[in-house]
Amino acid sequence: MAAAPDSLLYLGLDFSTQQLKVVAIDENLSVVYQNSVQFDSKLPEFRTQGGVHIHADRLTVTSPVLMWVKALDELLDEMKRTGFDLSRVRALSGSGQQHGSVFWKTGASQTLKQLNPDQTLNQLLQDSFAVKDSPVWMDSSSRQQCQDLEAAVGGALRLAEITGSRAYERFTGSQISKLRQIRVQDFLDTERISLVSSFAASLFLGGYAAIDSSDGSGMNLLDIGTRNWSEICLEATAPHLDRLLGAPVPSTSVLGPVSSYFVHRYGFSEGCRVVAFTGDNPASLAGMRLHQGDIAVSLGTSDTVFLWIQQPRPALEGHVFCNPVDQEAYMALLCFKNGSLTRERVRNQSAGGSWELFSAALRDTPLGNNGNIGFYFDTMEITPSAVGVHRFDSNNSEVSSLSPEVEVRALVEGQFLSRRLHAERLGYSIIPGTRVLATGGASSNKEILQVLSDVFNAPVYTIDLSNSACLGSAYRALHGLVAESGVSFFDSVKKAPEPQLMATPHPTAKQVYDQMLTRFAQLEERVLQKTSSHQISCG
Ligand code: ADP
Ligand code: XUL
C-alpha cells in the first residue's frame, strides 16, 4: 500500500545474522516499503555462510564488520535509485543481532564526524575498526572468561541477580575479556566498543551512539536494577571499561539528528531523528506489541522465546533484560541456537530440500509421532547446554535413525517441546486466553505453526510481516519522538493492525503433549548427562 505523497515516514532497520532488512511505515502505521540485503548472496566477496564465518575450532564465530557497513551502502543506494523519498523520514531506529561487538579503532570517532558524501561508508570506514571480524552471538569460545567473571562476582547466581543472566559465552563481557587477553595490541588500539545495534546507530549519527539498556542487558555487564554499568562486572572484565563503552541510555531515547552525510548523499531531512537502536529480540517484542500473559516465539536463525515481565526473577537458566518499551518493566528470554539452520539441514536430508515436502511430512504424521522423540543439536546448544543428534523410540530406547517423515516431525515437535519445557521452568504457564505470537522466517510455514499450537495447546497468531524486529524498530522510532512527553508505547502504536490467527490446537493436543512433555524432560536429562561426560560448558 502506497503512503499519501506528503505523509511522514518512520524507518526500522534490522542488522540480523543473515541479512540487513528495512521497513518503512507511515503515520497510520501501514507498511509502505520493505527491502533486504542478504549477506551471503549479495555480498559474496565476504565469503560468509549464513552471514558468519565459523572458525577451525568450531567455537569461534565472527562476521566481517565491513560487510554490515557495505550492506547499508547497498540498501540505501537501492532505496534512492528506486525513488524512495528519504526526505519524508521523520525518525529512524533499528535493531541488531544481540551480544555481537564492534571494536572501533582510535581515530574512528573523528572519521565518523567528517564523512564525505561522495564516497561510500565502506570506502570511508576501511581503517576504522581495530578488530575486522566481530564476535557474534553464535560464538562459544569464551568459556574460561565466563568462569572468571562468575568467580569474580561471587558465583553464577549472584551474576544473574546483578545482570539478569549467569555468564554466557556469547555475552559481550566475556568476549571483551577474551579479546583483551589474546589480542593485546588490537585492544589497546580500541577507542570505543559498540554492540551491533549501537554500532549501526553510530553510522547514522556520525558519532558514537550510546548502548540502550535493553540490548545492554545482554552483556553480563549491566546492573538491570539500576540500569547502569555494574562496577564489579566492569572491573572483572577490563580496566577503564566504562570509558570504552560510554554511558547506557533508556531504549526510548532520541540520540540526535542523522549526520549531514545522510542528508547530502541520500536526501534525508536535517530534522530526521535517530532513536536508540536495540537488540533484535527486544525490537521483536515491540513489533509484536507483546502484552503480559502472551508468549512470543521467534523462529529465525536462532529460535527465541520471550515474555513481558514486571518483576525480574533471574535464574541460572534464561535471561532477564530491561524492557525496551517500558522503563519500569523487564522481559525474559530464552535462546536456542539450533533453530532455522537445523530445520534447513533436516529439510535437505529428509525432505529433498523443499519446504513443501517438509510441510507435507508434518501433515502426514500424527500428533505425538507415535512416541518417537528427537533432540537435534547440530552445534553446541545454549538451552540446554548439549550437543549432537539423539533419537528415541516409544520405549525410550535410543535409535540411530528414523524414517524421513518421522524425522521431520521429531525435529519440529522436539524443538517446540523444548521451547515449552524451558519457558515453564522460567515461570511461564499456559492459561486460558494465552496467545502464542510467532515471528521470524519460519513463521511463514503454516504446518510448523500448527505443531507449535498443538504443543503449547494455545492459539498461534502472527503479524503481517514475518520480521517483527524491523517493524518494532519502526514503531520505536515513532514512539521515541513522543516518549519524553509521557506517551506510552502502546498508545503510540494503537493503530497498528491486530495479529492474525494462524492455527488453533487440535482437540487431542493437550492430552498428547502434556504426557510427552514429561517424557521429553526425562530424555533431555539423559542427553545432558551424555553430553556432560564429553564436555563441560559454561552457558
Ligand atoms: P534472521 O533474521 O535471523 O536472519 P529470519 O527470521 O529472516 O532470520 O529467518 C530466516 C530463516 O527462515 C531461514 O534460515 C529459513 O530457514 C527460514 N524459512 C524461510 N522460509 C521458510 C519456510 N517456508 N518454512 C520454514 N522455514 C523457513
Ligand atoms: C539472543 C541471541 C540471538 C541473537 C540473534 O540471546 O543470542 O537471538 O539475538 O538473533
Side-chain angles (χ1 to χ4, degrees):
M1 180 170 123
D6 52 352
S7 123
L8 294 172
L9 302 177
Y10 301 87
L11 221 56
L13 295 117
D14 178 29
F15 287 73
S16 72
T17 315
Q18 304 194 47
Q19 60 219 300
L20 167 62
K21 305 173 211 169
V22 66
V23 54
I25 58 170
D26 65 13
E27 286 164 292
N28 291 320
L29 277 72
S30 302
V31 172
V32 296
Y33 182 85
Q34 355 179 10
N35 205 343
S36 65
V37 174
Q38 187 90 27
F39 302 136
D40 294 359
S41 55
K42 285 263 185 72
L43 302 172
E45 63 274 32
F46 292 98
R47 297 170 191 276
T48 54
Q49 269 186 1
V52 302
H53 295 140
I54 301 181
H55 295 227
D57 64 1
R58 313 288 305 159
L59 300 174
T60 309
V61 185
T62 59
S63 291
V65 60
L66 284 166
M67 176 180 79
W68 297 328
V69 172
K70 194 163 181 191
L72 183 59
D73 285 330
E74 303 256 321
L75 189 71
L76 292 174
D77 282 349
E78 186 170 330
M79 289 176 86
K80 189 176 167 192
R81 200 171 48 242
T82 53
F84 185 92
D85 183 0
L86 287 156
S87 72
R88 285 165 45 206
V89 178
R90 189 157 171 240
L92 64 88
S93 187
S95 62
Q97 52 170 300
Q98 295 197 259
H99 320 295
S101 40
V102 172
F103 295 78
W104 297 91
K105 197 175 186 168
T106 304
S109 148
Q110 213 43 46
T111 310
L112 279 173
K113 280 198 196 111
Q114 311 166 331
L115 297 171
N116 171 359
D118 296 331
Q119 290 184 285
T120 63
L121 291 171
N122 180 43
Q123 287 166 333
L124 294 163
L125 298 176
Q126 279 295 317
D127 202 27
S128 292
F129 302 100
V131 176
K132 291 205 178 311
D133 294 301
S134 282
V136 297
W137 68 274
M138 295 165 98
D139 188 287
S140 50
S141 66
S142 59
R143 189 164 120 206
Q144 183 59 50
Q145 290 75 15
C146 285
Q147 288 170 356
D148 296 346
L149 179 60
E150 289 184 348
V153 303
L157 190 58
R158 182 72 198 118
L159 184 64
E161 283 163 2
I162 302 170
T163 70
S165 306
R166 62 171 297 176
Y168 281 86
E169 292 167 328
R170 70 191 193 287
F171 275 43
T172 328
S174 59
Q175 294 293 336
I176 294 174
S177 255
K178 182 185 144 201
L179 200 107
R180 179 174 81 88
Q181 290 164 16
I182 64 166
R183 295 179 62 171
V184 178
Q185 194 52 49
D186 293 340
F187 194 76
L188 289 174
D189 289 346
T190 299
E191 119 184 323
R192 177 81 172 211
I193 303 173
S194 294
L195 293 175
V196 178
S197 56
S198 61
F199 143 80
S202 305
L203 299 178
F204 282 102
L205 269 183
Y208 293 138
I211 291 175
D212 77 294
S213 55
S214 195
D215 207 15
S217 317
M219 302 172 81
N220 276 142
L221 296 177
L222 189 96
D223 180 330
I224 58 165
T226 62
R227 294 171 192 246
N228 215 327
W229 300 125
S230 150
E231 251 173 59
I232 186 167
C233 295
L234 290 198
E235 267 166 32
T237 304
H240 312 301
L241 191 50
D242 53 341
R243 287 189 220 152
L244 287 177
L245 294 174
V249 296
S251 307
T252 51
S253 308
V254 175
L255 301 178
V258 283
S259 88
S260 63
Y261 175 84
F262 293 90
V263 175
H264 293 118
R265 187 172 171 90
Y266 292 113
F268 277 87
S269 106
E270 279 175 2
C272 174
R273 303 280 129 179
V274 179
V275 173
F277 284 34
T278 191
D280 54 357
N281 293 296
S284 273
L285 177 140
M288 290 191 276
R289 294 184 300 149
L290 192 85
H291 287 276
Q292 206 160 2
D294 296 336
I295 182 164
V297 179
S298 168
L299 305 169
T301 309
S302 63
D303 283 357
T304 56
V305 167
F306 45 89
L307 313 165
W308 175 296
I309 50 171
Q310 225 39 55
Q311 275 305 320
R313 270 193 306 164
L316 290 179
E317 187 171 274
H319 317 295
V320 177
F321 295 156
C322 297
N323 190 295
V325 298
D326 178 343
Q327 283 184 54
E328 306 295 310
Y330 294 87
M331 67 182 279
L333 177 121
L334 288 162
C335 181
F336 304 86
K337 201 192 272 183
N338 293 279
S340 277
L341 300 181
T342 308
R343 287 187 286 274
E344 278 176 30
R345 201 261 303 153
V346 172
R347 177 202 63 185
N348 295 343
Q349 283 175 1
S350 300
S354 140
W355 287 125
E356 276 303 307
L357 295 178
F358 187 94
S359 297
L362 291 176
R363 271 196 306 272
D364 294 347
T365 43
L367 276 72
N369 213 11
N370 293 320
N372 295 294
I373 289 183
F375 296 81
Y376 297 81
F377 305 130
D378 287 356
T379 55
M380 188 71 194
E381 183 49 74
I382 296 164
T383 321
S385 181
V387 73
V389 175
H390 312 267
R391 306 174 182 88
F392 299 90
D393 67 13
S394 56
N395 299 316
N396 295 343
S397 301
E398 187 146 12
V399 292
S400 58
S401 64
L402 296 169
S403 72
E405 287 191 337
V406 174
E407 179 96 325
V408 169
R409 181 168 274 277
L411 165 73
V412 180
E413 282 187 346
Q415 288 186 327
F416 293 152
L417 283 163
S418 170
R419 310 314 175 240
R420 180 174 154 189
L421 175 72
H422 293 279
E424 289 184 0
R425 286 192 184 154
L426 209 64
Y428 167 74
S429 56
I430 301 167
I431 47 166
T434 291
R435 296 188 310 171
V436 178
L437 299 175
T439 183
S443 68
S444 60
N445 185 315
K446 273 197 128 186
E447 284 73 18
I448 290 180
L449 296 186
Q450 184 60 52
V451 181
L452 179 63
S453 174
D454 290 338
V455 171
F456 276 78
N457 190 34
V460 171
Y461 294 79
T462 57
I463 53 170
D464 256 359
L465 212 64
S466 68
N467 183 24
S468 53
C470 230
L471 186 62
S473 299
Y475 290 170
R476 291 181 56 259
L478 181 146
H479 175 233
L481 297 185
V482 293
E484 283 256 300
S485 35
V487 180
S488 80
F489 175 74
F490 291 107
D491 277 345
S492 69
V493 295
K494 267 199 307 250
K495 288 190 221 154
E498 285 305 315
Q500 305 282 307
L501 179 64
M502 297 303 290
T504 50
H506 189 272
T508 61
K510 179 172 165 45
Q511 198 194 350
V512 172
Y513 291 109
D514 280 358
Q515 274 179 20
M516 204 165 177
L517 194 67
T518 310
R519 264 185 71 217
F520 184 86
Q522 289 159 356
L523 292 172
E524 189 186 270
E525 208 41 56
R526 264 170 68 185
V527 168
L528 275 171
Q529 277 163 15
K530 232 170 103 183
T531 305
S532 62
S533 56
H534 286 241
Q535 186 174 5
I536 299 166
S537 154
C538 111

